[in-house]
Amino acid sequence: NAGVTQTPKFRVLKTGQSMTLLCAQDMNHEYMYWYRQDPGMGLRLIHYSVGEGTTAKGEVPDGYNVSRLKKQNFLLGLESAAPSQTSVYFCASSYYRPGQIIATNEKLFFGSGTQLSVL
Amino acid sequence: SQQGEEDPQALSIQEGENATMNCSYKTSINNLQWYRQNSGRGLVHLILIRSNEREKHSGRLRVTLDTSKKSSSLLITASRAADTASYFCATTNIFTGGGNKLTFGTGTQLKVEL
């Protein structure tokens, strides 16, 4: 049981290049998330998904796109990387709490992070 | 903007002492969670407290929640060097459509010295 796996762990890009970060979870979680972490800023939500085939914008979505074609995978894409996107990226997943009128998520399981530098 | 703000930003204590971190938030919540992050690693969930709960314990951790003051505290008793990490609070707010996403604070850096 690997939990949440992120690839790659490190990447250096030049301004304008594109790349895709892959997140995979083997816990059959409905919810998946992409966060970025910058010094002094805590974690900020980029995009999230509440199920296969669905995505939604978070707090800082500009410059990123996501896809959830399979329940276990959540991809984060940078079409044209900018230095402002230098950050540590974390993927997370969580269980959906059934039986509630308004769904709430439970605890998040995080991947180990991707250190991205854009020069 | 961050929903949760931790206080203090940094805390240094001796092994065996208790460590207390506080979190304040701005809007109504339905649950509040605490996470730990060791340097260079992902976050690990510590404890979740719901809005109708006032106190919760897990091992050496004690969490309180005061919804009237919109604040929570995390107490780590008998701290160990291995507790050295950053600690984050995170909230879920269903009233702004956020029932399925967490908003994190900026964290408290705890250092436990031998």
Side-chain angles (χ1 to χ4, degrees), chain B residues 28-102:
Chain B
S28 297
I29 62 170
N30 57 300
N31 76 50
L32 185 144
Q33 304 179 35
W34 285 91
Y35 288 79
R36 182 187 74 226
Q37 183 181 33
N38 291 91
S39 181
R41 306 293 295 274
L43 280 73
V44 175
H45 180 267
L46 294 176
I47 196 165
L48 180 154
I49 187 166
R50 303 192 191 283
S51 59
N52 61 352
E53 298 175 314
R54 292 295 168 260
E55 187 171 314
K56 207 163 184 178
H57 296 255
S58 177
R60 293 185 295 112
L61 305 179
R62 173 178 170 255
V63 170
T64 62
L65 179 64
D66 187 335
T67 53
S68 66
K69 295 181 179 179
K70 291 186 171 59
S71 67
S72 172
S73 67
L74 171 67
L75 169 68
I76 304 174
T77 60
S79 62
R80 306 166 182 169
D83 295 327
T84 294
S86 292
Y87 292 81
F88 295 87
C89 68
T91 56
T92 300
N93 181 356
I94 63 172
F95 302 105
T96 58
N100 46 28
K101 55 185 179 181
L102 261 63

Side-chain angles (χ1 to χ4, degrees), chain A residues 25 27-32 68 71 93-95 109:
Chain A
Q25 54 96 3
M27 296 171 282
N28 202 34
H29 285 165
E30 289 80 9
Y31 294 173
M32 295 188 75
R68 183 108 182 259
K71 186 177 183 179
S93 68
S94 70
Y95 173 64
F109 292 80

